[in-house]
Amino acid sequence: MTTKSMDLGEAAGASAAAIAQVEAHAAHNYHPLPVVLARGEGAWVWDVDGRRHLDLLAGYSALNFGHLHPRLVAAAEAQLHRLTLTSRAFHNDLLGTFAEEVAALCGMDMVLPMNTGAEAVETAIKMARKWGYERKGVPEGRAKIVVMGGNFHGRTTTIVGFSDDAAARDGFGPFTPGFVRVPYGDAAALAEAIDDQTVAVLLEPIQGEGGVVIPPDGYLRAVRALCTERGVLMLADEIQSGLGRTGETFACDHEGVVPDAYILGKALGGGILPVSAVVADRDVMSVFRPGEHGSTFGGNPLACAMGIEVVRMLRTGEFQARARDLGEVLRRRLADLPASRVAGFRARGLWAGVDVVGRTGRDVCEGLLRRGVLAKDTHGSTIRLAPPLVIERADLEWALDQLAEELGS
Ligand SMILES: *Cc1c(COP(=O)(O)O)cnc(C)c1O
């Protein structure tokens, strides 16, 4: 059976026509579930056939505040009538506020704005390399960055070059040198990998795409201590784990760890625009001088308006508290699933990876779709749950009822 007929088999009416059009004319670099969404509000979305679904993926955490949050829509609308793009050839009247407030949220000095997550990771890599040459005295062209097994940092050629996921990497070489990979969660392996030419350790404090993989307790503190001791930068990719998802502003907060740079994206744009940033102290960020890095759209006023509103929403702590409280519900309900159907799960805040038994994650997600619940599989048998932080408790409970029934318990 072709992909096309398989997908159409699940869909009907307007969905079938829309999916056929996508299959014919959009590159097949994704394998979406057979549902065509046309409208959203909060944690709910509606498809082109008028069916309602509860969104338990939230754009991989880009939609932490749900669909069309009134504060974010108002901020976007107001800015749409003022100014949307200047390029960095000129100043705009929002970049200063955006940078100051994002930096303050991170407890750091300076922000370099970009658009997508991958661009922010690339920016952090360039920053660390230059810092290594200028500040640490690493010989030019020799800088090394230690990365983790199971990492996901985006899709550029440099980034997929240090991935160990064959699908992400194979066929896209040759790759950028200068990366060393060690097992995630293994502080001893990291200690061994760091040498005089190491400029940074790049890691996700929780691996999202990897299946919500939480490192052992104390690991982030050990990474922090090693980085400080050996004079290398700790770069925390909080693109998916940050901005409230885990019940704290940053996943690093769970161990009381402050990295040398935060890499932010996804929810920073409020689910409306791609907005990303690298945040660091002045002594590190100052390695960039005019002309050495940039982006046409980075720091544009519309993006800044979204980022400012997102930071202000996070400042009250209410979304972090929701993630904590609803996360307890999620954890309790996942723990109730029978061992015959679920091999295990990992959860922190409103974020979980569930390993199913005897079925593919895809098959379970297709079953959930028929029940009006949207979730996404990763790595074969894992289902990733990342509901919008605005989800109502009763809706979350209903979705978890659907999961329990779908798994046949
Ligand atoms: C999604 C993600 C990225 C890449 O972000 P894009 O906006 O898709 O480029 C990088 N790192 C992590 C941890 C992510 O989850």
Side-chain angles (χ1 to χ4, degrees):
M1 201 188 329
T2 66
T3 302
K4 184 172 172 175
S5 57
M6 201 165 66
D7 282 351
L8 288 174
E10 292 283 339
S15 298
I19 290 169
Q21 191 179 30
V22 166
E23 291 286 335
H25 300 293
H28 293 189
N29 58 325
Y30 278 92
H31 182 200
L33 288 162
V35 60
V36 182
L37 303 175
R39 189 164 72 82
E41 188 182 338
W44 291 95
V45 286
W46 286 262
D47 68 26
V48 290
D49 297 312
R51 267 193 87 204
R52 190 171 81 144
H53 308 264
L54 191 60
D55 182 359
L56 292 201
L57 181 66
Y60 304 95
S61 286
L63 289 156
N64 276 1
F65 307 100
H67 298 270
L68 302 189
H69 191 288
R71 281 185 66 174
L72 295 166
V73 171
E77 277 180 346
Q79 192 57 36
L80 275 172
H81 294 288
R82 292 183 60 231
L83 184 68
T84 55
L85 185 66
T86 55
S87 86
R88 295 292 304 278
F90 315 110
H91 290 281
N92 73 64
D93 65 352
L94 289 183
L95 179 59
T97 304
F98 169 78
E100 182 177 352
E101 297 197 11
V102 171
L105 186 77
C106 297
M108 292 182 175
D109 297 332
M110 300 184 94
V111 170
L112 198 159
M114 296 295 283
N115 311 285
T116 66
E119 287 176 308
V121 172
E122 290 275 355
T123 301
I125 289 168
K126 289 171 74 173
M127 179 182 77
R129 284 178 164 187
K130 204 142 194 291
W131 175 87
Y133 300 134
E134 292 189 357
R135 306 291 159 81
K136 191 174 167 168
V138 172
E140 181 66 34
R142 297 290 187 79
K144 268 196 272 189
I145 295 176
V146 184
V147 300
M148 301 296 151
N151 73 70
F152 180 84
H153 297 287
R155 299 294 195 170
T156 66
T157 42
T158 289
I159 290 170
V160 300
F162 58 76
S163 166
D164 54 8
D165 175 354
R169 181 187 158 91
D170 288 359
F172 301 115
F175 297 121
T176 311
F179 298 93
V180 181
R181 201 168 52 234
V182 299
Y184 186 58
D186 182 343
L190 176 60
E192 203 154 311
I194 294 175
D195 65 21
D196 290 347
Q197 295 171 350
T198 307
V199 297
V201 175
L202 169 63
L203 83 169
E204 301 154 88
I206 293 176
Q207 292 185 330
E209 192 72 21
V212 192
V213 179
I214 302 170
D217 260 354
Y219 176 67
L220 298 176
R221 275 196 301 277
V223 173
R224 176 66 277 180
L226 271 170
C227 287
T228 303
E229 203 180 289
R230 311 286 286 274
V232 311
L233 300 177
M234 178 178 180
L235 309 174
D237 181 346
E238 293 254 19
I239 289 170
Q240 193 168 159
S241 59
L243 307 182
R245 170 57 54 194
T246 65
E248 299 284 350
T249 303
F250 300 110
C252 284
D253 294 342
H254 290 277
E255 291 203 19
V257 161
V258 179
D260 295 295
Y262 288 107
I263 306 170
L264 305 178
K266 292 201 165 101
L268 189 59
I272 294 180
L273 281 181
V275 182
S276 68
V278 176
V279 189
D281 277 335
R282 183 167 287 101
D283 59 327
V284 177
M285 193 65 89
S286 59
V287 300
F288 285 123
R289 285 173 293 266
E292 294 176 349
H293 191 57
S295 159
T296 302
F297 285 89
N300 73 73
L302 187 56
C304 288
M306 302 322 310
I308 290 166
E309 200 61 25
V310 164
V311 169
R312 290 179 182 172
M313 288 167 76
L314 285 169
R315 251 183 350 224
T316 67
E318 69 180 275
F319 292 97
Q320 295 88 326
R322 269 193 93 76
R324 270 196 303 279
D325 295 346
L326 293 172
E328 271 315 303
V329 174
L330 176 63
R331 168 182 294 282
R332 236 186 2 257
R333 295 292 307 271
L334 293 178
D336 285 343
L337 296 172
S340 59
R341 310 292 177 148
V342 170
F345 73 89
R346 301 157 296 283
R348 178 142 304 160
L350 202 46
W351 201 20
V354 183
D355 302 327
V356 298
V357 177
R359 291 169 72 180
T360 63
R362 173 83 187 188
D363 185 48
V364 174
C365 288
E366 286 176 355
L368 287 172
L369 170 60
R370 285 187 286 270
R371 296 169 179 274
V373 173
L374 303 185
K376 185 74 175 87
D377 54 298
T378 183
H379 296 282
S381 61
T382 301
I383 302 167
R384 187 171 13 174
L385 303 175
L389 309 183
V390 298
I391 193 171
E392 294 296 334
R393 179 180 169 149
D395 290 340
L396 179 64
E397 297 262 19
W398 173 80
L400 293 166
D401 291 342
Q402 301 308 307
L403 177 62
E405 284 177 30
E406 178 59 35
L407 291 174
S409 55

